């Protein structure tokens, strides 16, 4: 149980284009989803927290107009990298909290999406 | 400020040897602590967590961790390492400030296992 999928697993795009990454909770409802960015050999950097049906809360320094997050349903959140540039190349990871988990605060992680901007 | 420190960036052990990965945290109240493992091509997986109660916590894959408040530590241990344990290990503390509960992460420890 508690499986989170991400699609695509890898994407290569040209500079200036936009890329959408999907994050789905497959067997549970996720009221809260998180988007992280991870640079090679580094830790996870939280980009934003999204709650279903409301606007995402972005961490300081993260451009909300560049990284658009939509959490339209209890099983799907999307991250759109708009007008991507090579410096946006990174590993993007989503996670989700089970709505039924109460105070366990456990996050279930997707396998990640490798974005390369050329 | 809340923070997590993993002093060891990289550790190499021999298969069958014991393992201890260090984690120190800075948090004003009772911390909620987690250990996650990240294997290549796989999502982060929760090994164990501590919220309260018994300070020695058992997790999956034979891992355990001990919460020591006096040392602000939550070290991860395994008595006998397997080659499949080679991965990146992250310690995290739950930040309960504000309405959003988010994880504060350490920088990770990369574990290599020699045959």
């Amino acid at each position: 149980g508690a499986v989170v999928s991400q699609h695509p697993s890898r994407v290569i795009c040209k500079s200036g284009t936009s890329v959408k990454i999907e994050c789905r909770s497959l067997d549970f409802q996720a009221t809260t989803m998180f988007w992280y960015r991870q640079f090679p050999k580094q830790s996870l950097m939280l980009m934003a927290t999204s709650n279903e049906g409301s606007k995402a809360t972005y961490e300081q320094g993260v451009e909300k107009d560049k990284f658009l997050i939509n959490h339209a349903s209890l099983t799907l959140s999307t991250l759109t990298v708009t007008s991507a540039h090579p410096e946006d190349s990174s590993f993007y990871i989503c996670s989700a909290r089970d709505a039924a988990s109460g105070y366990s605060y456990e996050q279930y992680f997707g396998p990640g999406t490798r974005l390369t901007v050329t | 400020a809340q923070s997590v420190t993993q002093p060891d960036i990289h550790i190499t052990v021999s298969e069958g040897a014991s393992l201890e990965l260090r984690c120190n945290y800075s948090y004003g109240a009772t911390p909620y602590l987690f250990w996650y493992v990240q294997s290549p091509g796989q999502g982060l997986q929760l090994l164990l967590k501590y919220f309260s109660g018994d300070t020695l916590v058992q997790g999956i894959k034979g891992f355990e961790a001990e919460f020591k408040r006096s040392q602000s530590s939550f070290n991860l241990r395994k008595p006998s390492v397997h080659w499949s344990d080679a991965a990146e290990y992250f310690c995290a503390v739950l930040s309960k400030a504000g309405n959003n509960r988010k994880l504060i992460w350490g920088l990770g420890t990369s574990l290599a296992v020699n045959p």
Side-chain angles (χ1 to χ4, degrees), chain B residues 8-89:
Chain B
D8 305 304
I9 296 174
H10 185 86
I11 285 181
T12 300
V13 299
S14 298
E15 189 168 18
S18 62
L19 172 70
E20 182 170 34
L21 302 182
R22 296 183 291 165
C23 173
N24 293 97
Y25 67 89
S26 173
Y27 192 76
T30 300
Y32 287 9
L33 295 158
F34 303 79
W35 273 100
Y36 281 87
V37 60
Q38 185 180 33
S39 300
Q42 299 183 27
L44 282 94
Q45 183 180 24
L46 179 68
L47 288 174
L48 47 78
K49 60 189 178 188
Y50 172 78
F51 287 175
S52 65
D54 193 345
T55 56
L56 184 62
V57 181
Q58 301 297 320
I60 62 171
K61 303 185 180 186
F63 286 93
E64 66 177 27
E66 186 170 12
F67 170 62
K68 293 185 177 180
R69 185 186 298 275
S70 61
Q71 299 178 20
S72 297
S73 69
F74 188 56
N75 294 347
L76 182 71
R77 300 194 295 248
K78 186 170 185 177
S80 177
V81 171
H82 188 261
W83 64 265
S84 60
D85 293 324
E88 193 81 19
Y89 291 80

Side-chain angles (χ1 to χ4, degrees), chain B residues 93-106:
Chain B
V93 64
L94 182 72
S95 170
K96 289 174 267 182
N99 293 325
N100 280 324
R101 304 291 188 257
K102 60 184 181 182
L103 291 173
I104 308 297
W105 297 85

Side-chain angles (χ1 to χ4, degrees), chain A residues 6-43:
Chain A
Q6 275 184 248
H7 178 79
S9 57
R10 291 177 179 271
V11 58
I12 300 173
C13 70
K14 292 187 182 299
S15 186
T17 62
S18 295
V19 174
K20 180 184 284 188
I21 302 170
E22 291 186 349
C23 177
R24 292 182 184 273
S25 57
L26 299 185
D27 50 4
F28 66 97
Q29 293 185 326
T31 50
T32 305
M33 287 186 168
F34 304 85
W35 286 95
Y36 294 88
R37 185 172 179 177
Q38 186 179 32
F39 292 99
K41 303 299 183 183
Q42 293 191 27
S43 188

Side-chain angles (χ1 to χ4, degrees), chain A residues 11-13 19 32 39 46 55 68-69 84 92 94 102 114:
Chain A
V11 58
I12 300 173
C13 70
V19 174
T32 305
F39 292 99
L46 179 64
K55 289 185 178 180
L68 301 178
I69 291 171
Y92 292 89
C94 75
R114 174 74 60 194

